[in-house]
Amino acid sequence: MNAALKTRLLVSGDPAGKNVLHVIRNADLSETLARARAGVPAETELELGGPMPRRLLMRARALDDAPGSVLAVLVDLTELRRLESVRRDFVANASHELRSPLTSIRAAAETLESAHDDPDSERFIDLIVRNAERLQNLVDDMLELSRVESRELQLELQTLPLDAVAERVVAHHLPRAQMRRIALECASGMPAVRADRRALEHVLANLIDNALKYCAEGATVRVSAARESGRVRISVVDDGPGIAPQHLERIFERFYRVDPGRSRELGGTGLGLAIVKHLVEAMGGTVAVQSRVGAGSSFHFTLLAGA
């Protein structure tokens, strides 16, 4: 144990030759070392109590030239996790505080909208209503992302009929698709999945909503799924304008927009795909995108297959 770790963990004396659990009382640490000693590189995040509680990221692997020996590297994440918690709390509190005044602004503006015939007044009132709606959507998405990131959102994984869930979400978006003359299709015979119903509906709704926003008249958006060795790959594919390669790696980041001006014009908050990523990962899956400019986009995510 080097001097930096001894200082960080308040270890006194020379720990050489002592049992690890006698020096650092943490079952996860002992289990990680055991996995590494068995030849499996291991990684875990440790939470240590005591006079100076710490959160440490630990990576361990066996040493090839010293049988039975393990090298463990620990990185102190305490301050980073504290700042993440402060950020989440701030976002949650600020979002809660913003909801009430925004609701009042929208209600007042909508009342004025129905009471005024003057074209100039109507134009300004419409501006108030549309921007209040944008702010309301942003606040709602910030709250949702904060709940997911802080693990406040309790997911109940169960076997769900993907056909029924997808058809319900598609039916909800169908009037909007028809109004924009976009064909919205849902494949039949899709396999069951292990998922939380509300989270799955939210993910599908967000991906379909995005496709409808950016596709032009005459485009097609299709929801489908296929079984892949114990998992189900669910796809939302469109033949819209596509996404340039430089945007693909960052598209699931918070507030990242491919076209900021157009996204705001269409009511996007820049948080939808970040929420999708967190929800899918919380259900034990992965999410990705494939796209080419002028050839459409395919957003897909994987979930465990249902029993």
Side-chain angles (χ1 to χ4, degrees), residues 243-259:
I243 303 165
Q246 66 267 26
H247 299 298
L248 295 178
E249 286 188 5
R250 300 189 58 193
I251 201 164
F252 292 101
E253 292 179 12
R254 287 186 292 268
F255 294 114
Y256 188 81
R257 293 180 172 96
V258 173
D259 183 347

Side-chain angles (χ1 to χ4, degrees), residues 24-54:
I24 307 173
R25 297 185 178 278
N26 186 282
D28 290 336
L29 179 140
S30 181
E31 182 185 328
T32 304
L33 289 174
R35 291 205 310 272
R37 193 172 286 114
V40 181
E43 178 179 314
T44 190
E45 191 167 314
L46 308 174
E47 186 166 0
L48 305 179
M52 288 180 60
R54 320 299 299 174

Side-chain angles (χ1 to χ4, degrees), residues 33-34 36-39 61-71:
L33 289 174
R37 193 172 286 114
R61 62 174 298 157
L63 295 174
D64 297 333
D65 55 353
S69 297
V70 171
L71 172 66

Side-chain angles (χ1 to χ4, degrees), residues 3 16 44 49 52-53 62 87 126-127 132 157-158 180 206 217 226 280 298:
T44 190
M52 288 180 60
R87 176 182 59 78
D126 179 61
L127 190 65
L157 299 184
Q158 56 183 307
R180 299 197 59 206
N206 197 294
E217 184 177 309
V280 169
S298 171

Side-chain angles (χ1 to χ4, degrees), residues 142-188:
M142 286 169 66
L143 274 172
E144 183 74 12
L145 186 58
S146 178
R147 279 195 292 265
V148 176
E149 286 185 331
S150 62
R151 296 179 174 84
E152 287 179 16
L153 191 66
Q154 298 298 317
L155 300 183
E156 183 183 341
L157 299 184
Q158 56 183 307
T159 299
L160 295 174
L162 183 56
D163 269 348
V165 175
E167 284 170 7
R168 183 162 52 251
V169 176
V170 166
H172 176 76
H173 287 81
L174 204 53
R176 183 168 157 228
Q178 291 171 341
M179 186 174 65
R180 299 197 59 206
R181 292 185 172 85
I182 295 173
L184 179 56
E185 303 171 352
C186 183
S188 59

Side-chain angles (χ1 to χ4, degrees), residues 1 6 11-18 23:
M1 181 182 291
K6 285 175 63 177
V11 175
S12 58
D14 186 3
K18 296 180 181 178
V23 181

Side-chain angles (χ1 to χ4, degrees), residues 187-253:
S188 59
M190 293 188 283
V193 293
R194 289 280 298 169
D196 176 89
R197 182 180 294 276
R198 179 178 173 276
L200 178 57
E201 288 178 350
H202 193 118
V203 169
L204 286 171
N206 197 294
L207 295 179
I208 292 170
D209 183 66
N210 265 8
L212 294 179
K213 273 179 188 170
Y214 294 102
C215 282
E217 184 177 309
T220 298
V221 177
R222 180 174 175 79
V223 181
S224 62
R227 189 184 288 268
E228 294 181 348
S229 59
R231 303 185 76 83
V232 176
R233 175 182 164 118
I234 303 142
S235 303
V236 177
V237 181
D238 65 68
D239 54 7
I243 303 165
Q246 66 267 26
H247 299 298
L248 295 178
E249 286 188 5
R250 300 189 58 193
I251 201 164
F252 292 101
E253 292 179 12

